[in-house]
Amino acid sequence: MPTGKMSSTGAVWKGIIDKYRDLLPVTEKTPVITLNEGNTPFIRSRNLKKKIGLDIELYFKFDGANPTGSFKDRGMTLALSKAMEEGAKAVICASTGNTSASAAAYAARAGIRAIVLIPEGKIALGKLAQALVHGAHVLQVEGNFDEALSIVKALVRKYSITLVNSINPYRLEGQKSAAFEICDQLGCAPGYHALPVGNAGNITACWKGYKTYRDNKRTSSLPVMLGFQAAGAAPIVLGRPVEKPETVATAIRIGNPASWKGAVAARDESGGRIDAVTDDEILNAYKLIASAEGIFCEPASAASLAGVIKLYKENYFRPGTAVVCTLTGNGLKDPDTVFKVSEEPLKVKADVSAVEKAIEGVI
Ligand SMILES: *Cc1c(COP(=O)(O)O)cnc(C)c1O
């Protein structure tokens, strides 16, 4: 008899906690705060081989298709669910933008307050708009991300608010789901997995995710982990903190990563690399992904492809092995960058012949 209810075993996607519950630190008592994050597109590269001669089996994991437009939602669903289980009344974070957008949305979903500290002036407008519209208490700190994070750490020692930066262990637990999904979507673990590295939580989490899947016999191998920092914000590559990090890729403009050790472990245990790419290489990859593949990611996300292009030129990749690039965030958050790398649209008179003239050579 039809009940009008969806079966819980049906094809309806209910977020990463529902899907990967057996591998995550939740119980039946955990209230699940979700926006049905995860299950993001896994897209095979179609045109980069012809366009730039990149002759590898390349895939994009487009995590910009998450509910708030970045992979941060994978960790935030678990961080907010556990915070609610523990009776939190508010959450707090420092953010280059996407963490605050995600924290604000999931706090709204949970019905509690989010306080977010944002470094002054260096955040994409779309991300700030998200934090505001979701009702977070937003403070612009006159300083950089690293300074904002130390303030947040001092506050959570003093008050009972839950910190939801990636030093919150549940964030990384949830972010492991990106690795699970890549294995599920590819049918096995990839040969290489490239990611942009900022605070280094994502590369740390994905590496743990691959190991979890292998230990649970869902895959039989592990990928080589490749992390890419922006040249002006490359503390792990340099081996020391960068006091004044600078890059067009604001989401990875971080001088002293919280998960530094995790990233180094991912690199060393997997036999991988953490390398730097210049802002020019990042912007070039950003334009390529959008114009040759139809995927609009944010500048920081493109550091993964920029790094893969760089290593390809060094003959780094074993032929015939799947290479996955995580595209961490959605380009719509930061349209300003587009206008720095594109030509202004032509102005034409409103008549057919003027437009005909203007499209000569295009058709
Ligand atoms: C947070 C973020 C990063 C950096 O991820 P980490 O886990 O801090 O290394 C990269 N790209 C985007 C779009 C982000 O939001």
Side-chain angles (χ1 to χ4, degrees):
M1 204 174 82
T3 59
K5 278 190 196 152
M6 287 281 186
S7 139
S8 64
T9 54
V12 179
W13 182 271
K14 289 189 281 182
I16 62 117
I17 295 178
D18 178 68
K19 174 73 179 178
Y20 298 110
R21 171 174 284 276
D22 58 327
L23 302 175
L24 296 172
V26 290
T27 67
E28 305 84 73
K29 290 204 204 82
T30 314
V32 178
I33 307 299
T34 181
L35 290 162
N36 300 358
E37 61 294 313
N39 196 24
T40 55
F42 187 66
I43 308 163
R44 176 121 195 216
S45 168
R46 180 184 150 89
N47 296 318
L48 286 181
K49 183 174 169 189
K50 207 166 96 200
K51 182 106 181 176
I52 58 163
L54 188 62
D55 192 7
I56 51 176
E57 191 189 328
L58 179 67
Y59 297 85
F60 299 106
K61 178 64 172 163
F62 186 37
D63 258 359
N66 273 300
T68 79
S70 85
F71 76 85
K72 301 296 197 297
D73 294 347
R74 296 180 179 277
M76 210 53 80
T77 181
L78 200 63
L80 261 292
S81 297
K82 295 303 283 189
M84 293 308 283
E85 183 175 356
E86 287 152 20
K89 298 280 178 284
V91 294
I92 187 167
C93 65
S95 174
T96 57
N98 280 332
T99 295
S100 56
S102 187
Y106 281 81
R109 189 79 181 164
I112 62 172
R113 236 21 232 289
I115 302 164
V116 306
L117 272 64
I118 283 169
E120 193 185 34
K122 300 281 183 179
I123 156 168
L125 198 59
K127 302 176 188 179
L128 183 57
Q130 287 180 286
L132 293 172
V133 82
H134 290 305
H137 195 66
V138 181
L139 300 171
Q140 286 230 325
V141 177
E142 295 174 8
N144 63 25
F145 170 82
D146 303 288
E147 290 168 303
L149 184 60
S150 1
I151 297 168
V152 165
K153 282 185 190 163
L155 288 175
V156 295
R157 278 195 291 269
K158 222 168 147 186
Y159 300 92
S160 64
I161 30 180
T162 303
L163 184 143
V164 293
N165 276 101
S166 59
I167 40 183
N168 175 323
Y170 299 121
R171 284 272 313 278
L172 296 198
E173 285 295 317
Q175 284 173 209
K176 284 159 74 172
S177 63
F180 303 160
E181 279 178 28
I182 288 169
C183 295
D184 291 347
Q185 289 169 315
L186 186 64
C188 59
Y192 304 88
H193 184 182
L195 306 98
V197 171
N199 236 339
N202 209 20
I203 191 169
T204 302
C206 284
W207 176 238
K208 286 188 175 163
Y210 286 118
K211 288 197 291 186
T212 300
Y213 241 38
R214 199 238 0 221
D215 294 348
N216 283 270
K217 309 247 180 319
R218 300 200 196 181
T219 48
S220 56
S221 63
L222 295 169
V224 170
M225 301 301 291
L226 306 171
F228 298 100
Q229 300 196 294
I236 301 176
V237 179
L238 297 171
R240 57 173 163 78
V242 173
E243 208 169 306
K244 292 201 161 55
E246 277 309 335
T247 169
V248 63
T250 52
I252 52 171
R253 187 173 167 268
I254 287 168
N256 192 9
S259 298
W260 190 316
K261 286 196 187 121
V264 168
R267 178 193 67 192
D268 296 346
E269 289 171 27
S270 75
R273 296 246 303 244
I274 295 181
D275 207 338
V277 285
T278 65
D279 277 8
D280 280 350
E281 289 170 321
I282 289 172
L283 289 177
N284 180 45
Y286 166 76
K287 276 196 290 190
L288 269 175
I289 297 162
S291 63
E293 300 286 9
I295 308 166
F296 189 18
C297 66
E298 34 177 308
S301 307
S304 58
L305 179 66
V308 165
I309 293 172
K310 181 176 173 178
L311 295 191
Y312 180 76
K313 289 180 183 158
E314 298 172 13
N315 273 323
Y316 177 81
F317 296 104
R318 235 178 314 126
T321 314
V323 181
V324 176
C325 283
T326 296
L327 301 179
T328 44
N330 197 308
L332 288 168
K333 287 166 173 279
D334 188 10
D336 280 354
T337 306
V338 174
F339 301 101
K340 291 184 197 144
V341 299
S342 310
E343 282 172 39
E344 293 258 322
L346 268 181
K347 261 203 183 135
V348 290
K349 289 227 169 62
D351 68 56
V352 172
S353 64
V355 174
E356 269 182 324
K357 202 160 180 299
I359 62 176
E360 256 172 37
V362 177
I363 50 172

